[in-house]
Amino acid sequence: MQRRKFINTATAGILGAGAATLSGVALAQIPEFKWRLASSFPKSLDTIFGGAELIAKRVAAATGGKFQIQVFAANEIVPGGAVLDAVKDGTVQMGHTASYYYVGKDPTFAFDTAMPFGLNARQQNAWMYEGGGLALMRELFKEYNIYQIPAGNTGAQMGGWYRKEIKTVADLKGLKFRIGGIGGQVLQKLGVVPQQIPGSDVYPALEKGTIDAAEWVGPYDDEKLGFNKVAKYYYYPGWWEGGPQLSVYINLNEWAKLPKEYQAILEAACAEANIDMQAKYDAKNPAALKRLVAGGTLLRPFSNEILAASYKAAVELFEEIAAKNPRFAKVYTPWKRFRDEQVEWFSVCESRFDSFVAATVRSDRKK
Ligand code: CA
């Protein structure tokens, strides 16, 4: 009911006063838009690539097919890591990507996806929608001629696939590791040689031995990409991405051309994709993890030594970047305050609930 009411209100605005529902005649007066969307992801990953498809489907349905968005996979128009430039320059009107792919342009982009030891998915949403994050991010994106909307989350990611066991900080030395975002810069302080490789090219690199380890997302995606066939040890957690957000980018000139109703529909479709992607990952990961373990994958938690050293290195890195990048510092200070407050609250209630339920249900099942 809510959805129908929203759609009717939106279209009524387009049609003008007095027209409450779509009719064949009135439909002809609605402006038509045909956009191209460049995704950073391959079609095979239905969860993450599917976010853009869901948005396109919803927007078409809510505008009676008048606003069409055609979704292109990575490399169909531009490579996965070139979506920001493609939207900025108007090669495409719109993109779906992870902003931390662009930390080479400015490390501040990492806040739009995930920061090492930062927010989980719930907290990321709280920061973006209610904690001032969205306004800060839009200020940054404006400089790139982009309007950005949160549009997906994977939840906490796994720590990746390794050919050898990684027990101590010393084991990280010289490790060639494919890792997204600024987590690579943190690990560099501990001797890792980080590699930036788009999702579709990770498997061949790991298979050939050009890299020693790779992380992507979690069980459902990683199984599809076949990492378990070339590396046995599967570590957790991916402390560099506790709740990475995906984002829709829209060229600001194109955004300005849209009627307000279409803008509202697009924003609503992105909010739906934000919920839907997390739901898909949460629903599909357990069975995938079970299959991986049954197939010989060995699950390993990162040692406290590695986590503690990584945390220390992360804080050092943030302070270093903040000291020389005022844009980063402007976001880092309020972000850190928000993160610290969230940690206090979640430690009181959420984590106690989660840890008690996890321990009790698991032991109950073993009886
Ligand atoms: Ca990842």
Side-chain angles (χ1 to χ4, degrees):
M1 278 311 284
Q2 277 299 97
R3 173 168 303 281
R4 176 166 299 168
K5 194 176 167 204
F6 165 74
I7 292 167
N8 280 346
T9 310
T11 47
I14 296 164
L15 299 170
T21 54
L22 289 173
S23 71
V25 179
L27 212 63
Q29 298 162 10
I30 303 174
E32 285 191 29
F33 288 84
K34 280 191 175 18
W35 277 14
R36 299 195 305 167
L37 179 154
S39 167
S40 283
F41 312 107
K43 277 196 180 108
S44 59
L45 299 178
D46 61 312
T47 37
I48 201 161
F49 178 81
E53 285 184 314
L54 172 69
I55 291 164
K57 205 172 111 187
R58 281 290 180 267
V59 167
T63 59
K66 294 286 179 174
F67 185 3
Q68 296 281 345
I69 298 165
Q70 196 180 353
V71 180
F72 293 88
N75 297 321
E76 284 187 336
I77 301 175
V78 289
V83 169
L84 186 143
D85 281 336
V87 176
K88 174 170 79 68
D89 301 337
T91 312
V92 290
Q93 291 88 351
M94 187 175 172
H96 189 230
T97 188
S99 298
Y100 66 16
Y101 291 160
Y102 314 106
V103 291
K105 292 182 190 291
D106 190 325
T108 317
F109 281 114
F111 292 100
D112 196 55
T113 312
M115 291 284 283
F117 300 102
L119 307 169
N120 67 23
R122 289 256 312 273
Q123 296 163 345
Q124 177 72 12
N125 279 339
W127 184 63
M128 290 303 276
Y129 293 135
E130 298 292 331
L134 196 51
L136 285 167
M137 285 298 105
R138 285 186 177 164
E139 210 179 290
L140 168 70
F141 279 98
K142 206 173 173 188
E143 292 178 35
Y144 293 80
N145 198 36
I146 286 170
Y147 186 77
Q148 154 273 16
I149 312 174
N153 203 303
T154 67
Q157 296 197 358
M158 290 292 282
W161 298 83
Y162 302 73
R163 293 174 182 280
K164 288 184 297 189
E165 273 189 285
I166 305 293
K167 290 178 178 168
T168 63
V169 173
D171 293 336
L172 294 170
K173 202 158 177 53
L175 187 85
K176 280 184 274 171
F177 181 34
R178 184 275 169 196
I179 175 169
I182 64 171
Q185 291 173 47
V186 175
L187 281 167
Q188 207 164 8
K189 286 176 173 282
L190 304 176
V192 168
V193 187
Q195 317 278 316
Q196 291 278 1
I197 304 172
S200 45
D201 303 336
V202 181
Y203 178 86
L206 195 57
E207 191 188 28
K208 276 186 226 145
T210 351
I211 54 174
D212 305 309
E215 65 84 35
W216 174 248
V217 171
Y220 182 71
D221 279 3
D222 294 1
E223 182 190 36
K224 280 193 170 195
L225 295 175
F227 296 154
N228 55 310
K229 293 179 210 151
V230 283
K232 195 161 62 169
Y233 298 101
Y234 197 19
Y235 275 84
Y236 64 91
W239 46 262
W240 48 93
E241 341 184 43
Q245 172 197 306
L246 290 307
S247 298
V248 147
Y249 293 176
I250 301 160
N251 179 285
L252 264 179
N253 311 333
E254 301 298 331
W255 178 250
K257 288 179 200 164
L258 287 181
K260 285 205 163 28
E261 293 80 359
Y262 284 16
Q263 290 181 347
I265 286 168
L266 193 44
E267 297 251 21
C270 290
E272 187 184 352
N274 204 17
I275 297 169
D276 184 74
M277 189 186 294
Q278 180 70 82
K280 283 201 169 79
Y281 274 116
D282 285 341
K284 289 167 186 284
N285 275 329
L289 184 61
K290 229 183 251 179
R291 286 193 296 272
L292 289 168
V293 171
T297 289
L298 299 171
L299 274 181
R300 294 281 185 274
F302 282 125
S303 64
N304 282 339
E305 183 200 328
I306 288 179
L307 288 176
S310 303
Y311 179 81
K312 192 169 164 274
V315 175
E316 265 173 37
L317 179 76
F318 301 160
E319 299 293 336
E320 282 163 21
I321 301 173
K324 58 188 177 198
N325 182 334
R327 215 187 272 102
F328 184 93
K330 190 182 173 184
V331 183
Y332 177 57
T333 308
W335 174 89
K336 188 173 175 298
R337 197 183 312 127
F338 191 87
R339 193 265 321 258
D340 294 354
E341 283 168 1
Q342 289 293 303
V343 166
E344 285 302 319
W345 159 235
F346 272 65
S347 306
V348 169
C349 191
E350 297 280 346
S351 75
R352 177 72 179 135
F353 176 80
D354 288 348
S355 57
F356 178 80
V357 170
T360 313
V361 170
R362 291 176 102 182
S363 89
D364 210 28
R365 285 185 55 191
K366 281 178 192 149
K367 280 178 193 161

